Amino acid sequence: MIRRALLSVSDKRGLVELATALRELGIELISTDGTARLLQENGIPVTPIEAVTGMPEILGGRVKTLHPMIHGGLLARRDRPEDVEDMHRHAIVGIDLVVVNLYPFEATVARDDVTVEEAIEQIDIGGVTLLRAAAKNYRYVTVVSDPDDYPALIDALRAHHRQVPEAMRAAFAVKAFRQTALYDAMISDWLADHLETDVAPFPDVLPFGARKATDLRYGENPHQQGALYRVPNAGGLAHAEQLQGKGMSYTNWLDAEGAWLAVQQFETPAVVIVKHASPCGIATHPDLVQAYRHALASDPVSAFGGIVAVNRPVDKALAEAMDDLFIEVLLAPEITPEAREHLAKKKNRRVLVVPPLRVPYVETRSIPGGFIRQTPDAIEAPVAMQCVTTREPTDEERATLDFAWRACLAVKSNAIVLARAIEGGFATVGIGTGQPSRVDAVRLAVRKAGEQAVGAVMASDAFFPFPDGVEVAAEAGVTAVIQPGGSRRDAEVIETANRYQMAMVLTGVRHFRH
């Protein structure tokens, strides 16, 4: 039975209502300074913490609950005679309920102007200790760390005569430990970044500080479940604001990732259309409407039901241009008010505004029993182009090869991109993606391009193991190639390019994407 409760909260939501209900149930309240003051202002009787410990708060409030009179009352096992004897000997009174939430470290470090000193002062010590002590002793003590759980707590106390069922106590305890784990992860990550003591992307210990944002509509398939988790204050795709449309599924987020990473490779205005996590159309142009039309023309069949990402604000003209295409998700850094109004007519189209990423990005994927991690891929600056053929690429071919190389990074391996310079910009005209055989990827890209392959350039994310891929491209009319090189048969591949009077440049860098 709960007779005595300790309340010490930074987030005061629902506190007065909770304390009122506890007092109505005859439960004694003890509390720390700020919490006690709010309760007293609302006419709720409360015992100050110093009346229990015999010590005032010291060090500017840094020490107030770290005392045997508090933690003895939390950690004592009520069915252990030796623990009960210790309590009697030292006049310790049991604490049966702990309601604690922590200093607002997350909100503090979200400010752009926060100092290290300000952040450090928002690292809670006593609150974390209270939560851990109460959670450890959940068989006898109820711990509540989330204001959203106050109504359930009150209902349980009323229904069970001031008792909380053990299953609920256990659930609250697990939640408290998860809260402190998230809190510690946020602190360690922030300090590592701002104190510059651990800037490596692969620390010996990898704490995951993420909070569940929402359940997904479903996982990769409708019979699978899924959820979205966000790293606090990280920004980026996971923190996108959804303006409209149905909830996101697991595959929607994967496709969105592919589209957003792809469009970030371009400094000029760009549009990327993705289907099944790999681009089917990419284009750049000063006019985003033109860029969209050229990206769509690359593969209009695959674009149906796809994801569209742009790296500039979406205005009404672009919103209107997309009316005729069924688009699952639209991603942009900004949507103008006029565009929002127009897009609202397509109620099922998900529209996401993606904020800038605020933390260093390291790719992390799960495998059974653990995780693998890597630094993110990016296009080298500037792109190295070592010409290895008799014919040098023209200036236009070089610019188009640069575009194709950037586009190729985001395409699933084996990846082949055919591209052309078109009306003041550049666009893909055929993409071969996800093929086990590189020559099959070339055949697919050529087939997608059709007549547009004539005069196009080709990018390959990795070297050509045999000359056959270059032969297929040359016979389709491709005039220039960019690829990493490094194959044992490079000489044969280069000889084939010379035979067809193609220009070929090597970058020395591979861009697999699995």
Side-chain angles (χ1 to χ4, degrees), residues 414-418 430-435 437-450 453 458-476 478 481 502:
N414 284 318
I416 294 291
V417 168
L418 301 189
I431 297 176
T433 177
Q435 301 302 303
S437 165
R438 188 158 299 277
V439 67
D440 283 344
V442 177
R443 291 187 180 112
L444 177 59
V446 165
R447 180 172 64 81
K448 291 281 189 180
M458 178 171 70
S460 174
D461 65 345
F463 63 63
F464 290 94
F466 302 98
D468 51 3
V470 174
E471 289 176 343
V472 170
E475 289 169 1
V478 172
V481 180
M502 300 172 75

Side-chain angles (χ1 to χ4, degrees), residues 240-407:
E241 176 190 5
Q242 184 169 350
L243 302 182
Q244 65 179 60
K246 298 179 289 186
M248 297 278 283
S249 72
Y250 186 88
T251 50
N252 291 148
W253 280 113
L254 290 183
D255 285 345
E257 177 199 31
W260 194 245
L261 291 178
V263 83
Q264 300 310 305
Q265 301 305 318
F266 300 96
E267 296 178 358
T268 55
V271 174
V272 174
I273 305 175
V274 161
K275 191 69 172 290
H276 294 297
S278 195
C280 57
I282 301 176
T284 60
H285 195 282
D287 181 352
L288 275 179
V289 172
Q290 293 301 318
Y292 166 73
R293 288 173 176 160
H294 293 319
L296 178 61
S298 177
D299 189 349
V301 174
S302 297
F304 181 84
I307 311 287
V308 176
V310 301
N311 61 359
R312 295 292 190 276
V314 172
D315 60 15
K316 185 178 180 182
L318 180 57
E320 290 175 339
M322 293 186 289
D323 277 348
D324 294 335
L325 179 65
F326 169 49
I327 297 171
E328 286 277 6
V329 184
L330 171 63
L331 302 157
E334 184 183 339
I335 310 287
T336 67
E338 297 79 11
R340 290 190 184 201
E341 183 178 354
H342 186 83
L343 289 167
K345 299 174 184 178
K346 300 278 188 178
K347 295 183 179 180
N348 288 332
R349 178 179 295 174
R350 302 168 182 88
V351 177
L352 273 62
V353 176
V354 184
L357 190 65
R358 299 186 63 203
V359 299
Y361 178 51
V362 182
E363 291 184 350
T364 304
R365 296 190 185 185
S366 62
I367 58 174
F371 302 90
I372 52 175
R373 221 173 190 217
Q374 67 172 0
T375 55
D377 197 6
I379 291 297
E380 52 278 14
V383 175
M385 294 189 189
Q386 177 193 1
C387 183
V388 292
T389 50
T390 303
R391 186 174 78 79
E392 291 270 354
T394 65
D395 289 345
E396 181 177 283
E397 284 175 332
R398 280 188 180 274
T400 312
L401 287 169
D402 182 275
F403 166 83
W405 188 239
R406 295 174 187 278

Side-chain angles (χ1 to χ4, degrees), residues 141-324:
V141 179
T142 300
V143 58
V144 179
S145 57
D146 184 350
D148 290 340
D149 290 328
Y150 294 171
L153 171 67
I154 295 169
D155 290 345
L157 291 171
R158 288 171 174 165
H160 299 281
H161 309 289
R162 291 200 301 182
Q163 297 187 62
V164 177
E166 183 169 353
M168 178 177 280
R169 294 199 308 274
F172 282 161
V174 170
K175 189 170 189 176
F177 279 122
R178 285 178 173 160
Q179 296 274 32
T180 61
L182 172 63
Y183 197 72
D184 286 340
M186 286 192 296
I187 292 169
S188 64
D189 286 347
W190 193 89
L191 289 180
D193 184 35
H194 288 77
L195 299 184
E196 298 182 351
T197 61
D198 182 10
V199 295
F202 311 115
D204 291 338
V205 176
L206 185 62
F208 271 104
R211 181 181 288 116
K212 181 178 174 181
T214 184
D215 289 316
L216 302 181
R217 291 182 66 227
Y218 50 80
E220 204 155 13
N221 298 288
H223 64 275
Q224 295 172 267
Q225 296 176 316
L228 170 67
Y229 288 82
R230 289 177 176 147
V231 176
N233 296 325
L237 180 60
H239 291 259
E241 176 190 5
Q242 184 169 350
L243 302 182
Q244 65 179 60
K246 298 179 289 186
M248 297 278 283
S249 72
Y250 186 88
T251 50
N252 291 148
W253 280 113
L254 290 183
D255 285 345
E257 177 199 31
W260 194 245
L261 291 178
V263 83
Q264 300 310 305
Q265 301 305 318
F266 300 96
E267 296 178 358
T268 55
V271 174
V272 174
I273 305 175
V274 161
K275 191 69 172 290
H276 294 297
S278 195
C280 57
I282 301 176
T284 60
H285 195 282
D287 181 352
L288 275 179
V289 172
Q290 293 301 318
Y292 166 73
R293 288 173 176 160
H294 293 319
L296 178 61
S298 177
D299 189 349
V301 174
S302 297
F304 181 84
I307 311 287
V308 176
V310 301
N311 61 359
R312 295 292 190 276
V314 172
D315 60 15
K316 185 178 180 182
L318 180 57
E320 290 175 339
M322 293 186 289
D323 277 348
D324 294 335

Side-chain angles (χ1 to χ4, degrees), residues 76-92:
R77 292 156 292 190
R78 276 53 163 181
D79 61 349
R80 295 282 186 96
E82 60 271 30
D83 285 11
V84 174
E85 176 59 28
D86 278 345
M87 292 179 72
H88 287 160
R89 183 183 305 114
H90 299 288
I92 296 172

